[in-house]
Amino acid sequence: MLNDNEFIIQSLNSTLFFLRTTRFYCLNIELSFFKNNMEYSNRAKELGRRCEELGRKIIDYTYGYIPEAAKKYQIYVTDYSLRSELLTEKLFDVDIDTGITEEQLNFKVGVSGVAPESLINNIIDANNEALEITVDFLSFAEEIRNLLIMNELFSYSYPELYNFMMRDVKQFQDDLTRIMERLKPDPVFSANSEFTYNTTMLEIVLFLRGFIDISEVKYLNDLNYFILSYPSLIRDYQTLPLTPENQKELTERSIAITERLRNLIAEMLERLLNAELYFIVEATMIDNFYTNVNYFYYLLKENESISF
């Protein structure tokens, strides 16, 4: 069972990551519709606002509960988040609450002692509110995805991007449910989580390949490396017996390929923000992908340190 500090830290890490990524999934949805379908843009904007409000509330609970590794691996915000938001505001005439990002960039690392009961209750309330947002987002994204498939709605997006966002939010939902039940991740949960996140990493690579300017042959080749490499790793998670030795090897392989992907996306973001690279989506979406990769890398490093 998770003790109070573990419950608080895992809750904060999970919800802050989820609320940021979902906030910018909502922005991507908001920006993808024509004016004749503003109903969907407005609903996405409202969901994003709820993410912002809860995220700002949760920031007040973080003092003394920010692990050094979480900040080091940039699971809350990245070195590129603020600049990505400012560029997106400039290009799309939207208003992003960059104050949340600025506060998260200034998080102080440290883990407190005994947690007060009031803080635990506040965390429980925030977790429940986050779960409510997941339910509403999943329903909303599924509705749009189905309409796109039936040619009843047009969006500057892919049905598969909605599937990706839904799987990502569902993964958070499952993890936060585990945390709410105060369950530590067991070997089966960790292996399934790594399998799911590696699948997510492959999807991110495929989306990056579709969003980048097709003249960028070097990056297309770099992304092709991951497209060719991930399937064998994912297959081994599905087929190898779940033994401590196999799990250790799979985690190490996942760390190696995820670190390589982190470095590539960081390079892409730097060039994007320096007007040296072009994507057909907003900069915050690319930064969102980077945050997703960082979060998985953080979880892998945590798993590496656990002896199951």
Side-chain angles (χ1 to χ4, degrees):
M1 298 289 288
L2 297 174
N3 62 39
D4 287 345
N5 273 19
E6 289 171 332
F7 171 73
I8 291 170
I9 290 170
Q10 290 190 28
S11 294
L12 290 173
N13 285 348
S14 189
T15 52
L16 286 172
F17 164 74
F18 157 74
L19 291 168
R20 177 173 182 79
T21 54
T22 305
R23 177 163 66 118
F24 288 110
Y25 287 158
C26 290
L27 180 61
N28 178 266
I29 295 171
E30 178 188 345
L31 296 175
S32 69
F33 288 104
F34 286 122
K35 290 183 178 180
N36 62 320
N37 287 312
M38 287 301 292
E39 170 201 348
Y40 297 99
S41 293
N42 290 336
R43 288 168 64 187
K45 187 173 183 177
E46 173 60 18
L47 264 174
R49 183 196 60 77
R50 289 170 60 191
C51 290
E52 285 185 348
E53 286 188 354
L54 181 56
R56 184 168 287 285
K57 184 192 302 183
I58 291 174
I59 286 173
D60 292 337
Y61 309 148
T62 59
Y63 183 78
Y65 293 97
I66 298 296
E68 182 178 357
K71 186 166 184 181
K72 173 184 176 183
Y73 296 130
Q74 303 178 49
I75 73 167
Y76 309 120
V77 289
T78 79
D79 292 338
Y80 311 100
S81 295
L82 185 57
R83 285 188 290 159
S84 295
E85 292 168 18
L86 294 173
L87 178 59
T88 300
E89 283 188 321
K90 182 182 81 169
L91 295 179
F92 292 90
D93 190 28
V94 291
D95 183 21
I96 298 171
D97 187 353
T98 57
I100 295 176
T101 301
E102 291 171 341
E103 288 190 60
Q104 292 182 339
L105 285 169
N106 292 319
F107 274 164
K108 302 299 182 186
V109 170
V111 177
S112 297
V114 178
E117 191 69 24
S118 59
L119 175 60
I120 295 172
N121 290 333
N122 285 336
I123 295 292
I124 291 171
D125 289 343
N127 286 349
N128 284 325
E129 191 173 342
L131 286 174
E132 290 174 6
I133 292 174
T134 68
V135 172
D136 292 342
F137 180 88
L138 290 170
S139 174
F140 178 50
E142 183 178 22
E143 176 187 343
I144 294 174
R145 189 273 316 271
N146 290 343
L147 290 170
L148 294 178
I149 291 172
M150 294 185 295
N151 278 343
E152 297 293 335
L153 185 67
F154 178 81
S155 164
Y156 279 109
S157 188
Y158 308 110
E160 189 55 35
L161 183 57
Y162 283 90
N163 287 334
F164 164 81
M165 292 188 286
M166 290 161 62
R167 284 190 292 267
D168 198 32
V169 170
K170 184 65 170 64
Q171 173 79 353
F172 160 77
Q173 191 180 61
D174 291 345
D175 194 42
L176 188 58
T177 300
R178 171 192 65 80
I179 295 168
M180 290 286 283
E181 294 171 356
R182 297 229 180 189
L183 299 176
K184 291 191 175 184
D186 60 26
V188 173
F189 182 91
S190 296
N192 287 338
S193 178
E194 289 183 17
F195 163 76
T196 302
Y197 272 113
N198 273 307
T199 304
T200 298
M201 298 302 104
L202 174 57
E203 292 173 327
I204 286 173
V205 169
L206 291 168
F207 285 123
L208 287 171
R209 199 183 188 285
F211 292 153
I212 197 170
D213 190 321
I214 62 171
S215 68
E216 297 290 346
V217 176
K218 185 263 186 192
Y219 287 115
L220 293 174
N221 288 333
D222 288 341
L223 293 166
N224 282 342
Y225 163 81
F226 295 100
I227 292 171
L228 294 173
S229 299
Y230 267 114
S232 62
L233 175 60
I234 292 169
R235 185 171 58 250
D236 285 346
Y237 271 96
Q238 293 175 300
T239 59
L240 289 177
L242 183 59
T243 65
E245 295 76 19
N246 285 341
Q247 183 58 36
K248 182 175 183 293
E249 179 191 355
L250 289 170
T251 299
E252 290 173 350
R253 287 168 60 190
S254 294
I255 288 172
I257 193 170
T258 306
E259 183 171 16
R260 183 166 177 170
L261 181 58
R262 287 183 77 223
N263 292 336
L264 177 63
I265 300 178
E267 179 184 322
M268 288 177 162
L269 272 165
E270 187 64 47
R271 293 199 61 209
L272 168 63
L273 295 169
N274 290 332
E276 299 169 350
L277 196 61
Y278 188 84
F279 290 88
I280 61 169
V281 292
E282 65 279 6
T284 48
M285 193 63 172
I286 307 302
D287 186 64
N288 225 13
F289 287 154
Y290 184 51
T291 308
N292 219 310
V293 175
N294 288 343
Y295 188 71
F296 181 39
Y297 190 74
Y298 169 75
L299 294 179
L300 286 169
K301 299 297 280 188
E302 291 289 294
N303 288 347
E304 185 184 38
S305 67
I306 298 173
S307 179
F308 290 114

